[in-house]
Structure formats: structure tokens, C-alpha cells
Amino acid sequence: MDRAAHTRDTARTKRAILDGAARALRTHGATVSLTAIAQEAGVSKGGLLHHYTSKEALVVALAQDSIEQFREHVERCVDLSENVPGKLLRGYVRALCDEIAVPQAGREHASLWGSLTLLPEVVRLAEEDDERWRAAFHDDGLHPDRVLVVSRAADGLAGAPHYGAVPGPEEIEHTRELLLRMTLTNGPL
């Protein structure tokens, strides 16, 4: 097998493991076994351990993957034609609202992160990611008051399914529009 094919196979296997781990964690919670994760991923337990040396390493990799996927989603939601400060924050609001617009997806995301944040390393990753977002929003040009209120309101809306409060489509859309509108004006609140 050539090196490129081996790399593709490794990447494909890791993707299958991460996707299987996410499904298994959502279904069984943090106590899910590596055997159950391997079965969900369609790999042997030995194959799983070849790529991730422990359950903790796998959970950390899954958290990092989730953070990266969300960051990419935000980048796709940024409208480059907008010529006013706050492009990134508007992309962030759109991405969060997209994620919770499908009720089952919102619940699954909340369930997954509920399991992931049981590890201190994942909490540290989430805190570092939050700091990166805060710095990026600061550089995006909006007044800090607007960034604080809009980003935290969007975070709260996205976190609602974790507490069983799944907003309906009309509420999500209305909140999204309110938050986006707050980013089209600059200055203190």
C-alpha cells in the first residue's frame, strides 16, 4: 500500500472512531466502555486503541474535533460581503442557531458535551477555546458591551437543550434576528 492510501485509511478510521465515540457517548453517557465505542465505530477494540491509547485520549480528541468542526461551521456562516464590524460574531450567532434549529441535534450536542466535560483536560480545552473566541470577537471591531451581550445570549440559547428547554423554531429565529440586529450598530449599549 502506498503512503497516501495508508494516510487516507488512517484518517478514515480515525473519523469513524470519533463519529462512533460521539454516538456511543450520546447514547450511553460517560460510562460507555471502549468495547461499545469500538462496536459503534465498526472497528476492533485493538484498532481503536491503536489510534487512541486510552478512553481519556479518545474523549479529548473528540472534544478537540468538536471544537474544530464548530469553528469551521462559524467560518462558513461568516458573510464576507458585510462591510461593518462584527462579521465573526454574526457568523457565530448563525452557527449556534443552525445547530439548535434541529431539536434532536441540539439535544445530542448538549448530551455529548455533558459527557465530555467530565474530564478536566476537556474543560481546559473548552476554556481555551472560549478565550480564543473572546479575543477574535474583540478583534472583530464591535464594542465590548455588544460582544458580551450577544455572544453570551447566543451561548445561552445554544445551551438551553442541555437543561431540557428546547426553544422552538420561531423563538430561535426571532432570537437570532434580535442578536444579529444588535451587531449592526456599534458603540456601548
Side-chain angles (χ1 to χ4, degrees):
M1 178 187 315
D2 68 23
R3 186 164 171 74
H6 176 71
T7 301
R8 280 193 307 273
D9 288 344
T10 298
R12 205 173 12 252
T13 301
K14 283 185 167 188
R15 179 81 266 148
I17 293 170
L18 291 173
D19 292 345
R23 287 190 303 274
L25 278 164
R26 284 191 300 262
T27 302
H28 304 290
T31 60
V32 67
S33 68
L34 282 175
T35 300
I37 292 171
Q39 288 174 339
E40 186 68 39
V43 299
S44 67
K45 185 176 175 182
L48 185 152
L49 289 170
H50 173 75
H51 294 286
Y52 300 99
T53 58
S54 67
K55 183 176 170 184
E56 291 77 20
L58 174 58
V59 168
V60 169
L62 181 57
Q64 187 63 47
D65 181 64
S66 181
I67 287 168
E68 290 170 13
Q69 285 187 35
F70 178 69
R71 201 167 270 288
E72 291 169 4
H73 187 179
V74 171
E75 289 172 10
R76 289 189 304 273
C77 289
V78 170
D79 183 347
L80 297 177
S81 71
E82 297 174 337
N83 291 319
V84 293
K87 286 181 198 178
L88 181 62
L89 184 56
R90 285 188 292 280
Y92 185 83
V93 168
R94 290 179 190 116
L96 283 174
C97 288
D98 286 352
E99 286 195 357
I100 63 167
V102 179
Q104 186 62 27
R107 280 189 215 98
E108 288 177 356
H109 184 78
S111 171
L112 176 63
W113 273 94
S115 294
L116 293 176
T117 55
L118 295 175
L119 282 179
E121 177 66 14
V122 173
V123 172
R124 186 186 63 72
L125 284 174
E127 289 169 347
E128 289 173 358
D129 186 55
D130 187 61
E131 285 302 313
R132 279 192 299 274
W133 282 116
R134 299 303 136 221
F137 292 153
H138 177 268
D139 294 344
D140 203 24
L142 278 181
H143 191 278
D145 290 351
R146 290 182 186 279
V147 170
L148 175 67
V149 170
V150 171
S151 65
R152 292 307 186 201
D155 291 342
L157 182 66
H162 186 68
Y163 302 102
V166 181
E170 298 84 18
E171 182 181 353
I172 294 168
E173 185 57 29
H174 183 67
T175 305
R176 170 189 161 122
E177 291 309 313
L178 288 172
L179 294 176
L180 292 175
R181 202 173 319 139
M182 289 179 72
T183 68
L184 295 174
T185 307
N186 210 345
L189 294 174

